Amino acid sequence: MMDFLWASFLLLLWLFSYLLVRYFSLQRRRKHPTSTTSLGSLPSPPALPIIGHLHLLGPLMHRYLHRLSNRYGPLFHLRLGSLGSVVVASSASMAEEFLKTHELSFTSRPGVSGSEYSGDETGGFTLSPYGPYWKFLKKLSVTRLFSNKMLQQTVGIRREELLFFLDSLYRKSRAGEAADLGLALTALSNNVISRMLMSERCSGSANEAEKCREAVEEILEMTWKLNTLTTWGHFWGFDLFGYRKRLKVVHRTYKMLMERIMDDHERKEKQRREMGGGEVKENEDIMDILLRVSKDEEAEVKMNRDNVRVFITDIFTAGTETSSKALLWALSELINHPQIFQKAREEIESIVGKSRVVEESDIPNLPYLQAVVKETLRLHPVAPVIIRECSQDCRVMGVDILKGTKLFVNVWTIGRDAASWPEDPLEFRPERFLTMSGTDQNGGGGPIDIKGQHFQLLPFGRGRRMCLGYPLAIPVIQATLAATVQCFDWKPVGQPDPSRIKMEEKDGFTVSLAHPLHCIPVPHLNPTV
């Protein structure tokens, strides 16, 4: 017993001494920096030993970073536990400096705790460093998986799922029942992605596509919790809460499910060839393409089955998270602003009429509807903070930034910055996008878009590391929002104020509404006509 107490005393004494030395060392460095252009020269709040500035942040990190930017300016420095040094950019000009002028130094993303259990050492498309493998996946995505040709080939899938979604709402309306719009929109996005990936619907059934979706959701949840803890220090590696253990189990389950689905695809392909079908590339899904690429001996980069599986996961999460949560924010804003809702409906009816449901091909003729989507993504970017890692020593704005330094670009703050949005930046006003113009990456002017060309609006990031699911997410968001506005009015239930949706946020890898959105759909146009 005495030995244990003595050992505990020595441990506490050592820890106290370490913290004391560390604290005074940091204070001395802060008062006498070795270089006037080091990170130490940037504005920075007072820090605590070991954890640095973690105590200044909270679950909704973008909001805490926003408060700090109000005090310390559009570019400041933090030290965040195990993440180390972090540079925070909170204005369009600073975002342009890092993501355009010095883009090649910030094309990598920091590693994520728990990714080692995926079985893919590359980290997949989302986490792999900027290099030959990442470039190969990017090229494959642009030229094959999300090319204009593929999006045209799959427009029928998106249309069928949209009509199925509208029909389910119409049946709810006839029964006078409220719909959980969060669940309904997630199911729509999941089914679109699942059919494009593996030719199977995943919602409302017990098939393997549905089990894969459930596994992916749990992987995201456990990974988020694990990374939130490990940021505070590596001692959380003891797995006190069992997140690592659970991640191992769910990754193993997911791998077995995906192996069966890939085997099934290969078996069908072999049967078709044996029956004299030859090599048919029309109407193939994304998994067919990836499996064929993995067997191509002449491919620029060799992919294995683990690579295919993790890449499928990246596509699943990028496509579903962006679309469903952005749609939920858009509908909430429209319900809270009935005049804007009515204006959007009048535009749709003037172009489409009242005899059919709006289609993707109608969207280019609906500028106000497009403005509603842009305004939603300005105020409610699903990924509010762009996170990068410096891959090489560089000098930005006269400041020396070392390799390994993290970069946070607070898109949420930029979307509310009066310097970029001079007229009522906190108000939901789609009309601003019909009159405002911005400067694109080539220095020319034009309407502000969401493709990463204008730095005051970056909901999908920009440049080489732009969101993988962007080409698919935009048509899904626009067409679905247009159809729900055209076909239904909405009566919220379960809200403190029946005429207004509570716009509180729930944290995670992506930001969504904190509370479920339940509404009774009231038919305006029968979607089954």
Side-chain angles (χ1 to χ4, degrees):
M1 184 66 178
M2 290 299 297
D3 290 341
F4 174 77
L5 291 175
W6 179 247
S8 300
F9 172 75
L10 290 177
L11 178 62
L12 289 173
L13 183 63
W14 172 85
L15 181 60
F16 176 76
S17 302
Y18 170 81
L19 293 177
L20 201 62
V21 171
R22 174 83 173 174
Y23 175 76
F24 283 110
S25 175
L26 289 172
Q27 291 297 321
R28 182 177 180 181
R29 255 184 284 172
R30 194 172 287 116
K31 292 179 180 179
H32 306 285
T34 57
S35 170
T36 57
T37 58
S38 67
L39 281 180
S41 66
L42 288 177
S44 182
L48 293 178
I50 298 181
I51 66 171
H53 299 97
L54 277 175
H55 64 292
L56 300 177
L57 301 183
L60 296 171
M61 182 174 67
H62 56 283
R63 288 183 175 270
Y64 287 86
L65 293 176
H66 176 72
R67 295 170 191 168
L68 290 172
S69 69
N70 288 336
R71 181 172 182 179
Y72 295 97
L75 185 66
F76 59 94
H77 170 231
L78 297 177
R79 187 168 52 81
L80 301 180
S82 63
L83 283 179
S85 291
V86 177
V87 176
V88 183
S90 306
S91 70
S93 60
M94 292 298 173
E96 182 174 6
E97 190 71 27
F98 283 97
L99 301 180
K100 178 186 175 183
T101 306
H102 298 276
E103 180 185 6
L104 287 177
S105 297
F106 295 92
T107 51
S108 292
R109 287 179 172 145
V112 173
S113 296
S115 61
E116 62 270 22
Y117 305 128
S118 69
D120 181 6
E121 296 180 356
T122 67
F125 183 85
T126 302
L127 298 176
S128 61
Y130 183 72
Y133 180 73
W134 184 90
K135 292 179 182 178
F136 175 71
L137 292 185
K138 179 72 172 182
K139 180 180 178 181
L140 185 63
S141 299
V142 172
T143 61
R144 301 284 296 281
L145 307 183
F146 296 111
S147 64
N148 289 332
K149 180 180 179 182
M150 175 61 86
L151 292 177
Q152 286 300 315
Q153 286 179 356
T154 55
V155 68
I157 290 175
R158 296 192 294 278
R159 181 67 175 175
E160 287 176 10
E161 292 302 330
L162 175 58
L163 293 177
F164 185 90
F165 165 76
L166 295 173
D167 182 62
S168 67
L169 293 176
Y170 186 67
R171 283 186 272 113
K172 289 274 188 184
S173 70
R174 296 194 65 180
E177 298 177 356
D180 186 329
L181 288 176
L183 290 179
L185 290 168
T186 299
L188 167 64
S189 299
N190 281 333
N191 283 325
V192 168
I193 293 295
S194 183
R195 288 184 64 182
M196 290 182 63
L197 285 176
M198 56 191 81
S199 301
E200 286 188 47
R201 300 185 82 245
C202 64
S203 296
S205 61
N207 60 20
E208 292 189 333
E210 166 68 358
K211 295 175 182 177
C212 282
R213 180 195 65 78
E214 293 174 349
V216 168
E217 286 187 356
E218 187 169 3
I219 288 172
L220 286 175
E221 181 184 359
M222 290 297 105
T223 302
W224 168 254
K225 291 179 178 179
L226 177 62
N227 280 271
T228 301
L229 288 178
T230 53
T231 303
W232 286 85
H234 295 293
F235 59 91
W236 289 106
F238 290 114
D239 199 24
L240 301 178
F241 296 90
Y243 296 150
R244 290 185 180 277
K245 181 179 180 180
R246 184 57 195 160
L247 263 178
K248 290 180 183 179
V249 172
V250 71
H251 268 296
R252 187 162 58 245
T253 301
Y254 177 65
K255 182 176 182 178
M256 290 189 295
L257 288 168
M258 287 297 296
E259 285 293 333
R260 289 203 293 266
I261 293 174
M262 288 189 284
D263 288 342
D264 186 57
H265 271 65
E266 290 178 331
R267 184 169 57 253
K268 290 178 180 177
E269 173 67 11
K270 182 179 179 181
Q271 290 174 350
R272 187 184 58 74
R273 288 179 179 274
E274 289 175 350
M275 295 175 63
E279 186 176 5
V280 179
K281 296 185 179 181
E282 297 296 327
N283 300 322
E284 62 183 356
D285 56 39
I286 290 175
M287 183 171 287
D288 289 326
I289 297 174
L290 292 176
L291 287 173
R292 190 170 64 249
V293 169
S294 70
K295 297 177 182 177
D296 185 0
E297 297 296 333
E298 299 181 359
E300 299 174 31
V301 175
K302 183 65 177 175
M303 294 181 71
N304 57 38
R305 289 170 76 90
D306 285 334
N307 300 148
V308 171
R309 173 171 46 79
V310 173
F311 192 29
I312 289 285
T313 308
D314 289 341
I315 296 172
F316 217 131
T317 54
T320 58
E321 289 283 296
T322 302
S323 302
S324 60
K325 293 183 178 179
L327 278 164
L328 200 60
W329 284 117
L331 272 174
S332 299
E333 287 287 9
L334 288 177
I335 292 171
N336 285 347
H337 297 86
Q339 291 181 333
I340 297 176
F341 185 102
Q342 184 60 30
K343 188 173 181 179
R345 173 178 284 170
E346 290 172 356
E347 179 188 60
I348 295 168
E349 292 182 344
S350 69
I351 299 298
V352 178
K354 300 180 180 181
S355 60
R356 66 177 177 87
V357 176
V358 62
E359 300 182 10
E360 284 185 20
S361 58
D362 296 312
I363 300 300
N365 299 318
L366 303 173
Y368 191 72
L369 185 282
Q370 296 179 56
V372 169
V373 172
K374 290 178 182 179
E375 182 71 343
T376 300
L377 295 173
R378 179 185 75 87
L379 286 175
H380 308 287
V382 177
V385 179
I386 296 173
I387 300 178
R388 298 284 187 271
E389 183 174 85
C390 185
S391 58
Q392 58 189 9
D393 294 352
C394 61
R395 191 178 181 87
V396 182
M397 303 287 290
V399 177
D400 292 326
I401 298 180
L402 300 180
K403 178 181 179 180
T405 302
K406 311 302 184 294
L407 168 68
F408 288 179
V409 179
N410 195 343
V411 176
W412 191 87
T413 292
I414 294 173
R416 287 164 165 73
D417 187 0
S420 296
W421 310 97
E423 296 184 17
D424 302 319
L426 301 183
E427 296 296 319
F428 186 79
R429 293 181 59 248
E431 290 80 6
R432 75 177 80 244
F433 286 98
L434 303 180
T435 57
M436 287 184 66
S437 62
T439 302
D440 64 21
Q441 59 186 342
N442 297 316
I448 296 177
D449 64 26
I450 47 181
K451 300 177 182 178
Q453 308 231 4
H454 301 107
F455 291 88
Q456 60 267 57
L457 188 66
L458 299 172
F460 298 99
R462 66 89 57 196
R464 293 168 173 83
R465 218 79 210 216
M466 196 169 179
C467 174
L468 176 66
Y470 158 76
L472 174 62
I474 290 302
V476 170
I477 292 170
Q478 292 175 334
T480 304
L481 183 62
T484 52
V485 168
Q486 181 192 23
C487 294
F488 300 101
D489 293 303
W490 302 93
K491 290 184 178 180
V493 296
Q495 297 286 331
D497 181 353
S499 64
R500 186 167 184 84
I501 306 298
K502 286 186 71 174
M503 304 294 281
E504 296 178 354
E505 295 175 330
K506 177 183 178 181
D507 67 310
F509 280 121
T510 53
V511 176
S512 60
L513 275 173
H515 308 287
L517 178 57
H518 294 104
C519 292
I520 298 175
V522 180
H524 178 75
L525 171 71
N526 185 348
T528 63
V529 173

